[in-house]
Amino acid sequence: MTDRSLHLPVAAQPSLEALVDLARLGERRGYEFAWLPETWGRDAVTILATIARETDDIGLGPSVVNVYSRSPALLGQTAATLQEASDGRLRMGIAPSGPAVIEGWHGLEFDRPLRRTREYIDVMRAVLSGERVEYDGDIFSLSGFRLRCDPPAEPVPIDAAGMGPKAVELAGRFADGWHAILFTPDGLEERLEDLRRGADLGDRDPDDVRVTLSVTACALEDGDRARELARQHLAFYVGAMGTYYRESLARQGYADEAEAIAAAWANGNQEAALEAIPDALLSDLAAVGTPERAREELRKFEQLEGVDEIGIGFPRGASRDELEATIAALAPDEIE
């Protein structure tokens, strides 16, 4: 059976405790992991450390931290520390992000993202081994670092996120898992072929690469409200977050819709951007509506061969009550 996890809200929450409470709720309702995106608000490391101390069983990890704003050695140290804080419940999710974040927010050049991700995986594993780090890569040359604490007794899996064919191939070849977001069932099956090709290139078993798909979900008694929230969320990501999401949708057969959403958003017409999202696209990308409808929509993703875990993500505009209602309605203990 496919595991279910929580992709904690990307939207700012009123307090650190509010995020901890959501993770606790997920633990009580049987979710496998609590994944935390690092976006505009609080940093992921502090939140994950706090959640680790306030929970007992639920797995934890960032989905994702970028491979520019922290050095690879520092992320290795961070992984070792979070693994200790969580008593072995950590998975690290890393990814390049995109120019809008790396250049716009952090003032760094968005250069060679795939090679950089590969070298981060290498260096982080070297740090986590507890051995002296001697690394000579194309981007990073490191010498002399070694943890001054015991390395994790439980190895830390390092997952990579990506949407394009080469990024997914890289995950299959070098990472312990792949994090996928904004995929239709057909689109995901195409990228799973890239994952398997990468595993073959790395002389690995594809089944050893854990696939986590984040699905935007909203399960409310007011199904129209749930669908409107999902439309707002999708329009924002396609319209405001650079070209990656638009390009991914185009590869999945929705090029015209993606261009229409982006053009309307760029012109300041958010209402037109929402109207450019047809029901078919919303159904293909999300699990939203009444609780029964959302559960039915979620099943089509869970039935995909090669998917190990579904992360329940949330629309940016969802209120606290709407978050909790969705967590309850789609909890593993509600699976029939």
Side-chain angles (χ1 to χ4, degrees), residues 7-331:
H7 200 115
L8 292 170
V10 65
Q13 297 301 298
S15 67
L16 175 58
E17 191 63 23
L19 286 161
V20 174
D21 285 345
L22 288 173
R24 286 197 197 104
L25 176 59
E27 183 172 65
R28 290 196 301 272
R29 297 305 302 257
Y31 287 90
E32 188 77 13
F33 263 81
W35 296 106
L36 182 71
E38 187 169 66
T39 53
W40 302 266
R42 301 169 183 87
D43 77 280
V45 177
T46 304
I47 298 170
L48 287 168
T50 305
I51 291 174
R53 304 298 287 187
E54 297 294 331
T55 56
D56 298 312
D57 301 312
I58 195 168
L60 301 171
S63 182
V64 292
V65 289
N66 75 73
V67 295
Y68 289 86
S69 59
R70 299 177 179 90
S71 77
L74 177 57
L75 273 188
Q77 290 176 268
T78 299
T81 307
L82 287 173
Q83 185 72 314
E84 181 179 2
S86 65
D87 294 324
R89 292 181 279 143
L90 180 71
R91 290 187 77 97
M92 284 292 291
I94 66 171
S97 189
V101 172
I102 302 309
E103 296 180 357
W105 299 3
H106 297 291
L108 301 170
E109 183 181 1
F110 187 72
D111 180 55
R112 303 178 70 187
L114 296 184
R115 180 67 201 182
R116 196 176 184 96
T117 302
R118 158 76 189 279
E119 293 195 11
Y120 263 69
I121 293 171
D122 290 343
V123 173
M124 290 172 67
R125 283 181 175 152
V127 170
L128 288 163
S129 75
E131 301 298 321
R132 179 185 172 98
V133 178
E134 302 291 338
Y135 186 78
D136 186 19
D138 291 347
I139 299 175
F140 295 100
S141 293
L142 309 176
S143 179
F145 178 84
R146 186 172 186 170
L147 284 175
R148 288 192 176 181
C149 59
D150 291 335
E154 184 72 24
V156 179
I158 301 173
D159 299 346
M163 292 183 286
K166 288 299 181 182
V168 179
E169 181 184 294
L170 182 146
R173 189 172 183 180
F174 299 110
D176 297 302
W178 171 44
H179 286 229
I181 188 170
L182 207 70
F183 277 100
T184 69
D186 289 344
L188 188 76
E189 287 184 341
E190 287 187 12
R191 294 289 75 81
L192 286 171
E193 293 177 8
D194 300 318
L195 188 83
R196 288 188 284 270
R197 182 174 62 253
D200 288 342
L201 289 170
D203 196 23
R204 310 171 69 198
D205 184 343
D207 291 340
D208 292 338
V209 184
R210 184 174 179 84
V211 175
T212 301
L213 171 64
S214 178
V215 176
T216 300
C218 194
L220 306 175
E221 293 302 328
D222 185 347
D224 290 339
R225 164 69 177 170
R227 294 174 71 79
E228 182 68 11
L229 285 168
R231 272 196 167 83
Q232 293 170 2
H233 184 84
L234 179 58
F236 173 80
Y237 269 86
V238 175
M241 290 300 291
T243 63
Y244 282 99
Y245 297 99
R246 183 165 76 244
E247 291 168 355
S248 179
L249 280 186
R251 283 192 294 268
Q252 297 177 72
Y254 285 104
D256 291 344
E257 292 83 352
E259 288 298 329
I261 296 165
W265 194 278
N267 290 327
N269 192 340
Q270 296 185 13
E271 193 63 36
L274 298 182
E275 292 173 357
I277 302 172
D279 288 341
L281 176 56
L282 193 64
S283 179
D284 231 4
L285 288 172
V288 296
T290 63
E292 288 124 346
R293 174 67 181 273
R295 284 192 285 265
E296 180 182 344
E297 295 280 3
L298 199 59
R299 289 189 187 101
K300 68 175 180 282
F301 296 104
E302 292 182 318
Q303 291 168 358
L304 292 171
E305 186 175 352
V307 174
D308 301 292
E309 178 182 327
I310 297 293
I312 304 299
F314 305 97
R316 295 171 63 249
S319 70
R320 179 61 182 230
D321 287 345
E322 289 164 341
L323 294 174
E324 293 185 359
T326 299
I327 290 172
L330 302 181

